[in-house]
Amino acid sequence: MSQSFPGCFYLLFFLTLDPWFSKPSITLTPTQQISTGMNVSIECQGAESYLTFSLFKSNNLIASQEAEENRNATKFFFSEVRLEDGGSYTCRYHRIGFPFRWSESSDPMELVVTDSSLSKPSIKVLPNERISPGQNITIECQGPEKGLNFSLYKSGELITSQVTESERNRAEFPFFNVGLEDEGNYTCQYHRRGNPFAWSEPSNATELVVRDSSLSKPSIKVLPDEPVSTNVVSPGGNIILRCASDYRHDAIYYLHKDPPILYSAYWNSEWGAVVFQIANARISDGGTYTCSYCLKPVYQQWCSYRSDPVQVYIKGENPSLSKPSIKVLPDERISPGQNITIECQGPEKGLNFSLYKSGELITSQVTESERNRAEFPFFNVGLEDEGNYTCQYHRRGNPFAWSEPSNATELVVRASVGTTSLKAGSEMKRDCIRKGILSFASHVSRRVSQLDREKDSQDLALPEKLERDSQTKLIVRLLVLLAQYW
């Protein structure tokens, strides 16, 4: 305790309960896991002002304190809480000036302190394959030593506790005829016997999923609420998620986030799917979303497995998250088969970048702690790589608060236009000349044959005929050779 209260030990033998006083309430801050060295407060609250409160641990008076003027509550502070501060606390009050007429005790409140020397337990679901409705399963918790006391929690709420046998270091929590209501994240903790307020850290969470494997898995996508079709939404915008499957009007659909159920809805005929809308989005609305559906026959509820996850990102409200820059390297004309790099640069070092093509996520990259840019390599680029690219970033440790997208840069993949055109034009010209020469040679050959027939009736000397024939054949042969080697 940070302070003591001398003179607060009244002669409790003479106190009486006042039936007109209502029972006080008692609360602990913080309410989550408390470790040694943390600062803790216990608040006691009564029904009226001008009261004196007393705090008890295991029915032993610890301290007394008057509430401030015009207040009906007071706080008892523990600075740098220790393992021995763990225990069961209650409080009572009396009116100032009437120290022997008391209220009844509050309900007990347990202060549990985590002992860092106790290693974290492990937890698993048995059997570990897919679990169907109506099946019997077991959640097993295991600690580092024998004879421990285990407690099982679902989403942070205590479900049950179990004392293990002296020769065992694990506890088994059976679940019979499991249903959708048993789904959730489970953790467990333990303490040693004889020290019920010094606990280990919670185990890592294990997820219990109860689904009918005969039902097809639904699909989910984020519908654009902004001009650019990405999964990034501005603060105050709308998150619109579309979930669809083969089952329509006879099913109820559920939207999950990390993984508790957020909303339920029925088929929307106008959309041809089920549409979930989260209005006025905040940073906390960023995260991983899935959807599932359930059919509800007369005696049992059948549910599908959850869809593949989709990520929703909220643009950072922090003005320091300025828009990144993006460029293609090299910035000259890019030819098919070339290797290129798309570079994204942010305002600070150690950022996480994601690259998008036409609004669709392509890849992500964590930059080194000393760099403020990410380089995305593309090897042997082709026409399929053409398009508009953008990038975004977020700070490490805050994966759902994103910057605005960069301006788009266009990747154009083209062959060298000048060389290709010149080569094509020259080839066409040669082909045209070649065809013309061959056509002329054929015409000359036909014409000579015709002249031969006309001159046969003429009385020419044999040497003259031979000379004319040889000259004609030479001309035709030269024309053919010219066409072949043009």
Side-chain angles (χ1 to χ4, degrees), residues 15-141:
L15 67 83
T16 58
L17 295 180
D18 191 326
W20 299 104
F21 288 166
S22 60
K23 182 192 293 187
S25 63
I26 185 170
T27 54
L28 176 67
T29 304
T31 58
Q32 300 298 323
Q33 197 69 35
I34 296 171
S35 303
T36 53
M38 291 179 61
N39 295 329
V40 173
S41 67
I42 296 177
E43 182 179 77
C44 296
Q45 183 174 359
E48 55 187 72
S49 304
Y50 302 103
L51 299 175
T52 297
F53 290 88
S54 289
L55 182 66
F56 299 82
K57 178 184 177 185
S58 301
N59 294 322
N60 294 316
L61 181 62
I62 300 299
S64 291
Q65 185 171 290
E66 289 185 3
E68 294 180 5
E69 189 175 357
N70 296 323
R71 291 204 65 213
N72 67 338
T74 193
K75 288 184 178 181
F76 298 92
F77 292 95
F78 292 72
S79 60
E80 298 184 357
V81 71
R82 303 163 298 173
L83 288 176
E84 53 266 33
D85 292 322
S88 180
Y89 289 81
T90 57
C91 63
R92 309 170 78 168
Y93 65 86
H94 66 80
R95 288 180 177 144
I96 296 175
F98 297 90
F100 301 112
R101 298 182 66 82
W102 287 77
S103 72
E104 61 178 311
S105 295
S106 66
D107 293 329
M109 183 277 305
E110 291 189 351
L111 171 56
V112 176
V113 183
T114 300
D115 186 349
S116 58
S117 68
L118 299 178
S119 58
K120 185 185 295 188
S122 63
I123 187 171
K124 60 182 176 182
V125 178
L126 299 172
N128 57 7
E129 60 257 9
R130 292 185 169 182
I131 296 166
S132 302
Q135 191 173 341
N136 297 335
I137 63 103
T138 298
I139 295 182
E140 180 186 273
C141 297

Side-chain angles (χ1 to χ4, degrees), residues 284-428:
S284 58
D285 291 320
T288 303
Y289 289 85
T290 57
C291 70
S292 65
Y293 63 90
C294 294
L295 307 177
K296 201 165 185 180
V298 179
Y299 300 109
Q300 188 179 15
Q301 183 167 255
W302 299 336
C303 297
S304 72
Y305 283 90
R306 287 199 287 272
S307 66
D308 292 331
V310 66
Q311 300 286 342
V312 174
Y313 305 101
I314 309 298
K315 291 179 185 176
E317 294 176 308
N318 191 330
S320 65
L321 296 180
S322 57
K323 184 186 294 187
S325 63
I326 188 172
K327 60 182 177 181
V328 178
L329 298 173
D331 56 0
E332 307 114 29
R333 296 194 174 199
I334 296 165
S335 303
Q338 191 174 340
N339 297 336
I340 63 103
T341 299
I342 295 181
E343 180 186 273
C344 297
Q345 182 172 349
E348 57 193 68
K349 298 176 181 177
L351 299 170
N352 289 30
F353 285 89
S354 286
L355 182 67
Y356 300 83
K357 179 184 176 184
S358 302
E360 296 296 324
L361 178 65
I362 303 298
T363 184
S364 296
Q365 187 181 127
V366 180
T367 61
E368 298 173 5
S369 57
E370 295 302 313
R371 300 198 67 197
N372 69 335
R373 67 189 67 190
E375 295 175 349
F376 299 95
F378 286 67
F379 302 103
N380 192 26
V381 295
L383 293 178
E384 68 277 5
D385 296 311
E386 284 194 325
N388 288 321
Y389 290 80
T390 58
C391 65
Q392 288 178 276
Y393 66 88
H394 68 80
R395 290 176 172 144
R396 295 182 188 179
N398 196 358
F400 301 113
W402 284 76
S403 70
E404 292 186 63
S406 66
N407 294 331
T409 185
E410 186 179 5
L411 174 58
V412 179
V413 182
R414 291 289 186 271
S416 179
V417 177
T419 304
T420 303
S421 299
L422 179 61
K423 187 175 180 181
S426 178
E427 197 65 42
M428 288 176 63

